[in-house]
């Protein structure tokens, strides 16, 4: 009986989410007016949230939140998180005290928001962000880690007047049709989450992006803590890294999330928590956070499952959802540090993403690339075009009809295969490999 009820609620939730996608003719329409209107109709839950650390940036937002969550939970704090997009189920976006929101609670809140909206135009992200705020306002916690969806200045999460701290992770080119065609324009949008008098933590940035962020901070009196100036991280031999700021240095175990870029994300997380409330956290909490952190779909070695077993014996299957040039560069840096075992990329990517920019850094560190179609209904780069782009960059490349075919077709000396290029693809992989 309980299982049948859960299945019915799941179907009802899916139906509500589908209806919400039809409330606005555009998937993305940046602005705060619609969100503020709906939040007002709901009694302004955004004014009753736990203390918030608000995170914007192009790359590393989710990983930085994952580090903060792991550290804060190690310190005994109860933590809510809001991240997007989800990989397998929508519920992943709204996490209450470490657990994705339950089916009945999500259904009730979505229907409440749908009723309050009364059929007025609003985007899917806006109304579901309002739903998340309702959930967080009704469930006490010590901390809410809040990720922007797109940009910052006009992102629907940016209705908070006084978060406890803000974080801007590395800014690079992505979503240019919405945020601008230069790093400087995009940095201006990300800097929109800075608030007067609220500590702003800044991850590693290109000089032009940092100049924009510093200028905005000076205009509204934001105390900044900047990577390489106010705090730093250094990888040391022996699987440790050193975090330094004005309070001193902390020697910590290497993060459980692989990749050199994750050390910078860990540093931003530590700086944010120390600036928010340094009294909460000690060495043991930071060390436990490095060991306990989890963030699926980001340079993740997959466990044995229905998909990984399609690969020939001896092949390790990895997964990464990165999908822009900066993500390609981060992957390339990690792959360059791996041993000389052959590395094959299986790639798919949304058609509005910069395939050439993503692939270019991977030339020389990948032995082969196999292009496949993007699963689902989201338009993707045609595999033949993607493979041609890879060959132009100097990577031996071919095409497979499906991910299954690409895995089965691996040959030669066993090595590593990295499925990459899209969070949509990453979600499909995780879902199918867990079946």
């Amino acid at each position: 009986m309980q299982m049948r009820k859960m299945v019915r609620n799941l179907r009802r939730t899916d139906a509500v989410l589908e209806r919400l996608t039809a409330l606005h003719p555009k998937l993305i329409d940046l602005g705060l007016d619609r969100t503020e209107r709906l939040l007002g109709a709901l009694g302004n839950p955004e004014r009753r949230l736990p203390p918030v650390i608000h995170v914007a940036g192009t790359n590393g937002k989710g990983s930085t939140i994952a580090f903060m969550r792991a550290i804060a939970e190690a310190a005994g704090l109860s933590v809510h998180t809001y991240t997007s997009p989800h990989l397998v189920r929508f519920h992943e976006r709204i996490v209450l005290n470490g657990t994705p929101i339950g089916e009945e609670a999500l259904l009730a809140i979505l229907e409440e928001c749908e009723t309050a909206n009364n059929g007025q135009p609003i985007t899917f992200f806006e109304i579901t962000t309002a739903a998340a705020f309702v959930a967080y306002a009704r469930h006490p916690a010590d901390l809410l880690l809040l990720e922007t969806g797109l940009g910052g200045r006009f992102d629907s999460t940016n209705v908070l007047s006084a978060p406890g701290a803000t974080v801007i992770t590395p800014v690079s080119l992505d979503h240019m049709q919405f945020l601008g065609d230069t790093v400087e324009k995009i940095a201006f949008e990300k800097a929109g989450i800075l608030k007067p008098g609220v500590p702003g933590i800044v991850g590693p940035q290109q000089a032009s992006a940092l100049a924009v962020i510093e200028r905005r901070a000076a205009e509204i009196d934001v105390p900044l803590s900047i990577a390489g100036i106010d705090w730093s991280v250094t990888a040391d031999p022996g699987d440790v890294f050193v975090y330094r700021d004005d309070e001193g240095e902390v020697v910590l175990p290497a993060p459980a999330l692989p990749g050199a870029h994750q050390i910078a994300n860990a540093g931003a997380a530590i700086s944010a928590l120390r600036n928010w409330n340094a009294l909460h956290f000690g060495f043991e909490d930071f060390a436990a956070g490095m060991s306990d952190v989890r963030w699926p779909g980001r340079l993740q070695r997959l466990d044995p499952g229905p998909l990984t077993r399609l690969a020939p014996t001896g092949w390790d299957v990895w997964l990464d959802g990165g999908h822009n040039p900066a993500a390609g560069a981060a992957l390339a840096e990690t792959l360059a540090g791996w041993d000389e075992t052959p590395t094959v990329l299986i790639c798919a990517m949304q058609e509005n993403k910069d395939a050439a920019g993503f692939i270019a850094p991977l030339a020389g560190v990948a032995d082969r690339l196999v292009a496949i179609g993007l699963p689902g209904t989201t338009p993707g780069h045609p595999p033949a075009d993607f493979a041609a782009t890879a060959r132009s960059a100097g990577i031996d490349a071919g095409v497979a009809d499906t991910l299954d075919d690409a895995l089965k077709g691996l040959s030669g000396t066993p090595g590593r295969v990295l499925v990459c290029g899209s969070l949509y693809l990453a979600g499909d992989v995780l879902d199918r490999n867990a079946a």
Side-chain angles (χ1 to χ4, degrees):
M1 180 68 71
Q2 187 67 27
M3 179 61 70
R4 286 200 297 269
K5 181 179 180 182
M6 187 171 65
V7 171
R8 284 198 303 272
N9 283 343
L10 179 59
R11 290 171 178 166
R12 289 175 63 192
T13 301
D14 288 343
V16 175
L17 291 169
E18 186 172 349
R19 289 199 302 270
L20 298 184
T21 63
L23 291 174
H24 196 286
K26 297 179 181 178
L27 178 64
I28 297 171
D29 185 13
L30 296 178
L32 299 179
D33 291 348
R34 293 176 298 273
T35 302
E36 291 172 340
R37 169 187 56 75
L38 176 55
L39 289 171
L42 291 165
N44 294 110
E46 79 282 5
R47 299 175 186 174
R48 302 188 301 277
L49 300 176
V52 173
I53 297 180
H54 197 190
V55 183
T58 305
N59 292 95
K61 298 189 299 293
S63 296
T64 300
I65 284 177
F67 280 115
M68 286 193 287
R69 172 183 165 181
I71 295 166
E73 288 179 342
L77 303 187
S78 56
V79 184
H80 296 336
T81 60
Y82 185 59
T83 57
S84 62
H86 60 277
L87 292 179
V88 179
R89 299 180 68 208
F90 178 88
H91 310 60
E92 301 164 23
R93 300 184 183 213
I94 305 173
V95 173
L96 304 172
N97 294 331
T99 303
I101 190 169
E103 194 65 49
E104 290 189 23
L106 177 60
L107 174 61
I109 290 172
L110 289 175
E111 289 181 334
E112 180 180 351
C113 291
E114 185 180 29
T115 299
N117 187 64
N118 197 28
Q120 297 185 69
I122 193 164
T123 70
F124 179 83
F125 186 75
E126 289 165 349
I127 195 168
T128 53
T129 296
F133 286 162
V134 171
Y136 300 134
R138 293 176 180 171
H139 292 79
D142 298 310
L143 180 62
L144 166 58
L145 303 173
L146 184 68
E147 180 187 1
T148 58
L150 188 66
R153 185 165 62 113
F154 292 127
D155 185 82
S156 59
T157 62
N158 199 31
V159 294
L160 309 179
S161 59
T166 60
V167 181
I168 301 178
T169 65
V171 175
S172 60
L173 296 175
D174 201 3
H175 301 293
M176 291 180 285
Q177 67 272 41
F178 301 107
L179 303 179
D181 57 0
T182 67
V183 168
E184 293 84 356
K185 291 177 181 177
I186 295 173
F188 177 76
E189 297 299 326
K190 307 291 186 181
I193 70 166
L194 298 174
K195 299 295 186 296
V198 174
I201 289 74
V202 184
Q205 304 291 343
Q206 299 178 44
S208 58
L210 179 59
V212 172
I213 295 167
E214 289 182 304
R215 184 161 57 248
R216 178 57 181 163
E219 290 171 353
I220 61 173
D221 193 25
V222 173
L224 292 182
S225 180
I226 302 171
I229 299 175
D230 303 292
W231 62 270
S232 65
V233 286
T234 306
D236 280 4
D239 291 328
V240 300
F241 77 100
V242 180
Y243 170 89
R244 297 180 179 89
D245 62 16
D246 290 344
E247 300 299 319
E249 70 175 37
V250 186
V251 181
L252 295 167
L257 299 182
H261 58 291
Q262 294 295 4
I263 292 178
N265 292 332
I270 295 169
S271 180
L273 293 173
R274 283 162 78 101
N275 275 275
W276 172 59
N277 194 331
L279 296 180
H280 275 309
F281 309 102
F283 166 78
E284 295 82 2
D285 307 317
F286 295 128
M290 296 306 103
S291 300
D292 297 343
V293 64
R294 299 291 182 270
W295 191 230
R298 280 71 174 184
L299 208 56
Q300 174 185 359
R301 184 177 181 176
L302 296 178
D303 293 329
L307 270 181
T308 59
R309 283 192 280 268
L310 296 177
T313 301
W315 285 84
D316 286 335
V317 183
W318 291 68
L319 178 67
D320 191 88
H323 49 261
N324 55 39
L331 282 178
E333 183 179 6
T334 299
L335 267 58
W338 282 357
D339 59 35
E340 296 183 0
T341 302
T343 299
V344 176
L345 309 179
I346 299 177
C347 292
M349 182 171 283
Q350 286 179 263
E351 67 175 3
N352 62 350
K353 299 299 182 181
D354 181 2
F358 175 80
I359 291 170
L362 295 162
V365 295
D367 295 278
R368 181 167 170 76
L369 182 146
V370 181
I372 60 173
L374 197 64
T377 59
T378 302
H381 281 283
D385 293 348
F386 201 109
T389 300
R391 286 192 291 270
S392 295
I395 303 176
D396 177 32
V399 171
D401 290 336
T402 66
L403 173 60
D404 295 29
D405 292 334
L407 289 169
K408 293 175 184 177
L410 295 169
S411 60
T413 303
R416 300 182 184 91
V417 56
L418 174 62
V419 183
C420 60
S422 166
L423 284 171
Y424 291 98
L425 176 60
D428 182 67
V429 167
L430 290 173
D431 188 32
R432 293 183 58 205
N433 199 53

